[in-house]
Amino acid sequence: MTHDHQPFLRVAAGGSQTAACRRVSPGLLSIVIPCHNEEPVIDATHDRLVASLPATGMDFEIIYVDDGSRDGTLDRLEAIAARDRRARVIELSRNFGQQAAMSAGLAHASGDAVVILDADLQDPPEVIPEMVRRWREGVDVAYGRRRSREGETRFKLVTASLFHRFFASLMPYKVPVDTGDFRLLDRAVVDAVCGLPEKRRYLRSLIPWAGFRHEPVWYDRHARQAGETKYSARRLLGLAGDAVLISSDAPIRMIWVGGLAMALVGCLATGIATLGWTGSGGRQEGVSLATVVAVAAFFGGIQTLAVAIVGEYVVRTYREAQGRPSWLIRRRLNDPVQMPRSQDTRAA
Ligand code: UDP
Ligand code: MG
């Protein structure tokens, strides 16, 4: 078992000349695919990829990261790896979540460029040659931008669109909207992102944070070909909250605004009460108990909310301080580099 999630830090030290050379030669393209319970679709995904990738003119490896699937995904992946050496499989020791699965795939990719792709064929592999073309022109991150989205409920479309825009507005650097994880990254970007020490990652903000040259590649997103989404409304909400709290300190600033607003209201109310008291010749006006309770509950609620927000940051700081790896690997198939047995006794 191993948790080698930051194996190499070859950050863009080579500079643009190295990058340019790399992009002219055929080079190696890695495709990273996080998979959780994707048995019904995974064979079709592999076939579509193998049919689409020769158009890139690059050698390729496909890295399937099995994120604790409980169906027959792993059996399917083993069969694929047995008949196609270009298919690598990283089996995580349990379900660590899509972000961890993608990060594990990135950390093990050896390509000059790496594409992240969902397993369900929502993002068509046929777009990858266009991403590679942009990369050869000098773009470091060619991200898939959705022109349309089939097979999603109206509720999901609206909430996703609103969230993307809200999220982008919180970030001090440019985060593309209507964009998922489907994107091509130059080796320098992969190394920069994999070299960061933080364990909890949200790649949709981390990759833009790294900078470099980003350009969109427009495409139509299809419906999932088979199987079901892994994200219930509740899980999506949790993910959205986590994304904000991992990527931004804006919620803390909102507490400032809330606190100042409350203090202002308090000052005004005190002023009005004092004037009213004087104006009525020293006679105290009566205030109903219900009003007092309502006001106390309102301000008590706001204060508790503020404490909860701070608490969320404390929890995340605590988790980072624990320093546990973001994922653990049980087994790897068709791995190009044999790890020492002490680190990964089951590497195939
Ligand atoms: N996924 C994963 N781990 C999880 C949940 C999802 O690796 O815990 C993978 C999943 O197999 C798929 C990708 O992440 O390849 C996106 O998941 P899904 O298609 O369910 O998300 P949606 O497109 O509905 O937002
Ligand atoms: Mg999907």
Side-chain angles (χ1 to χ4, degrees), residues 16 78 81 91 149 159 174 190 252 312 331 346:
S16 57
E78 280 174 13
E91 179 192 345
R149 287 180 80 168
T159 48
K174 190 168 177 276
V190 175
I252 297 280
E312 291 290 338
R331 189 172 54 144
R346 289 189 235 187

Side-chain angles (χ1 to χ4, degrees), residues 267-284:
C267 287
L268 286 175
T270 309
I272 291 167
T274 311
L275 285 178
W277 188 76
T278 320
S280 59
R283 201 161 29 82
Q284 183 80 51

Side-chain angles (χ1 to χ4, degrees), residues 172-289:
Y173 43 86
K174 190 168 177 276
V175 174
V177 296
D178 302 328
T179 300
D181 298 299
F182 183 35
R183 58 188 87 197
L184 176 147
L185 313 175
D186 180 62
R187 165 55 46 197
V189 181
V190 175
D191 287 345
V193 169
C194 289
L196 295 173
E198 60 203 73
K199 305 280 190 258
R200 284 175 76 84
R201 288 147 176 262
Y202 184 62
L203 289 174
R204 293 185 194 182
S205 66
L206 212 49
I207 294 169
W209 169 86
F212 295 85
R213 270 192 67 194
H214 292 236
E215 293 285 342
V217 171
W218 291 85
Y219 75 105
D220 296 303
R221 193 165 207 244
H222 301 301
R224 173 180 261 280
Q225 180 147 322
E228 287 170 5
T229 176
K230 309 301 170 302
Y231 291 98
S232 59
R234 192 171 158 200
R235 197 173 173 195
L236 267 181
L237 201 65
L239 187 73
D242 208 34
V244 171
L245 292 161
I246 288 175
S247 316
S248 168
D249 50 16
I252 297 280
R253 292 184 210 299
M254 287 176 203
I255 298 178
W256 269 98
V257 175
L260 284 173
M262 271 166 41
L264 194 67
V265 170
C267 287
L268 286 175
T270 309
I272 291 167
T274 311
L275 285 178
W277 188 76
T278 320
S280 59
R283 201 161 29 82
Q284 183 80 51
E285 293 292 334
V287 177
S288 78
L289 182 62

Side-chain angles (χ1 to χ4, degrees), residues 33-38 65 67 95-98 101 117-120 122 149 152 156 204 221 224 228-231 235-236:
I33 307 187
C35 308
H36 179 65
N37 296 345
E38 300 289 5
V65 183
D67 185 20
N95 178 243
F96 283 92
Q98 184 186 352
L117 180 76
D118 284 359
D120 56 6
Q122 283 196 279
R149 287 180 80 168
E152 304 284 13
K156 179 152 182 193
R204 293 185 194 182
R221 193 165 207 244
R224 173 180 261 280
E228 287 170 5
T229 176
K230 309 301 170 302
Y231 291 98
R235 197 173 173 195
L236 267 181

Side-chain angles (χ1 to χ4, degrees), residues 15-161:
S16 57
Q17 201 184 346
T18 317
C21 294
R22 219 173 36 226
R23 292 175 194 191
V24 179
S25 62
L28 178 69
L29 179 67
S30 304
I31 313 291
V32 167
I33 307 187
C35 308
H36 179 65
N37 296 345
E38 300 289 5
E39 182 186 3
V41 74
I42 203 69
D43 283 303
T45 304
H46 187 70
D47 292 345
R48 281 262 298 273
L49 267 170
V50 168
S52 315
L53 292 178
T56 61
M58 299 179 80
D59 296 329
F60 62 87
E61 60 172 9
I62 305 171
I63 304 177
Y64 295 100
V65 183
D66 180 65
D67 185 20
S69 295
R70 287 182 301 275
D71 63 358
T73 302
L74 198 57
D75 296 338
R76 305 295 337 132
L77 291 177
E78 280 174 13
I80 291 171
R83 66 171 188 269
D84 189 345
R85 292 286 304 173
R86 297 166 301 184
R88 293 170 56 188
V89 178
I90 296 174
E91 179 192 345
L92 301 189
S93 63
R94 64 168 170 85
N95 178 243
F96 283 92
Q98 184 186 352
Q99 294 295 321
M102 292 188 296
S103 301
L106 284 183
H108 285 82
S110 5
D112 301 304
V114 183
V115 170
I116 305 173
L117 180 76
D118 284 359
D120 56 6
L121 292 174
Q122 283 196 279
D123 303 318
E126 293 75 16
V127 177
I128 296 174
E130 173 62 10
M131 290 180 165
V132 170
R133 196 180 65 73
R134 303 303 307 274
W135 172 70
R136 286 204 192 284
E137 287 171 0
V139 169
D140 302 307
V141 179
Y143 59 90
R145 185 152 179 196
R146 300 156 180 176
R147 203 183 290 124
S148 65
R149 287 180 80 168
E150 274 174 37
E152 304 284 13
T153 60
R154 186 145 187 81
F155 176 74
K156 179 152 182 193
L157 290 180
V158 171
T159 48
S161 170

Side-chain angles (χ1 to χ4, degrees), residues 2 4 88-91 108 329-340 344 346-348:
T2 176
D4 48 338
R88 293 170 56 188
V89 178
I90 296 174
E91 179 192 345
H108 285 82
I329 292 174
R330 180 170 179 274
R331 189 172 54 144
R332 304 188 309 193
L333 303 177
N334 286 353
D335 211 89
V337 185
Q338 285 286 330
M339 298 297 290
D344 188 352
R346 289 189 235 187

